[in-house]
Amino acid sequence: MPLHVDVHGSGPRTAVLLHGMMGSAESWWRISPLLVSRGYRVLAVDLPGHGLSPRDDRLTIPRAADAVADAVDALGVTGVDVAIGHSFGGLVLAAGAERLRPAIAVYVDSPFTSRGGAVAADVTAEYENARARRTVAGLRATHPLYGEEDCNVEARAADRFDAATGAAVAAGPGGSWPPAPGSIMVRPEPSRYVTAEQAAALEAAGVQVRSIPGASHSVWYGHFDEFVAALPEVFG
């Protein structure tokens, strides 16, 4: 399952970016050029069923993680310096960390458990309804922290999203993929994906948790400067 990867820059370091459910490689439109300016070759991946990547109605978290690792290997990468995963992309990153072996792993408001066992047809219908609402006008109304280009990018990503692929994950076996000690979690405060209790548990397990009050689920939308400042190891 060869994935589409947007490659930016040619620096000596490599950064891998994994978007959230119903997003795309374009979701990092402000992050990618900043990383390039810091000397990274940026690999922004379209996950299965998203953007320009193939659809997969048998997708599981491990299957997505392997597809990402295969895509990175195919580009001749011998070492990943930074990997950033948002939400669903963070779950995929955690599942694929053993193969990617990033020197720095950053999770942005990511859960680390997939419940599985859902009815695929029901979830497909839910995703189709969500897609229909994620127009530019709809995003302007429901996501006041998003800028105009954020709305354009996310509406385009929703239009390309394959609901059956997303539903396959929810209907699959589920599982948990905890982040390694030393990883970094950036979350909004409050967060419905990483609650205060879950953040405390992550810290107890050796994960650095950095919270940004008032941010949205896509933390860098609307709180770009705060997001960058929260990651000096990455953006320096």
Side-chain angles (χ1 to χ4, degrees):
M1 185 169 47
L3 301 182
H4 175 80
V5 181
D6 283 345
V7 181
H8 307 275
S10 57
R13 297 183 288 174
T14 298
V16 175
L17 307 181
L18 305 179
H19 60 78
M21 187 69 78
M22 217 177 296
S24 77
E26 286 189 278
S27 298
W28 306 104
W29 70 275
R30 287 189 74 185
I31 299 296
S32 292
L34 183 59
L35 287 169
V36 169
S37 75
R38 300 297 194 268
Y40 289 94
R41 180 189 184 207
V42 178
L43 312 181
V45 181
D46 276 335
L47 293 171
H50 296 75
L52 302 178
S53 283
R55 280 49 185 143
D56 183 4
D57 60 6
R58 297 184 295 117
L59 190 67
T60 62
I61 299 297
R63 187 172 168 87
D66 281 340
V68 169
D70 289 345
V72 172
D73 288 346
L75 289 167
V77 174
T78 57
V80 175
D81 296 279
V82 172
I84 304 177
H86 172 236
S87 194
F88 171 63
L91 184 56
V92 172
L93 173 58
E98 187 173 347
R99 283 190 61 187
L100 291 173
R101 296 188 179 279
I104 300 173
V106 178
Y107 300 94
V108 184
D109 209 24
S110 300
F112 297 106
T113 299
S114 175
R115 288 178 294 178
V119 178
D122 292 345
V123 181
T124 299
E126 290 174 8
Y127 276 136
E128 290 290 5
N129 288 333
R131 282 182 70 237
R133 295 192 299 270
R134 287 179 74 85
T135 62
V136 172
L139 287 163
R140 283 196 201 110
T142 58
H143 294 71
L145 294 179
Y146 283 22
E148 190 66 18
E149 186 59 17
D150 302 333
C151 292
N152 291 334
V153 162
E154 293 304 313
R156 186 160 51 245
D159 187 58
R160 292 172 172 170
F161 171 68
D162 180 59
T165 299
V169 176
S176 293
W177 295 270
S183 301
I184 302 169
M185 166 66 75
V186 180
R187 61 185 283 275
E189 176 63 62
S191 167
R192 71 187 187 95
Y193 292 91
V194 183
T195 65
E197 293 76 15
Q198 290 168 329
L202 288 170
E203 288 185 318
V207 177
Q208 301 177 53
V209 178
R210 299 162 189 182
S211 301
I212 298 179
S216 65
H217 178 49
S218 297
V219 176
W220 64 99
Y221 285 174
H223 284 72
F224 182 80
D225 291 340
E226 294 89 340
F227 179 76
V228 171
L231 294 168
E233 302 92 338
V234 177
F235 298 105

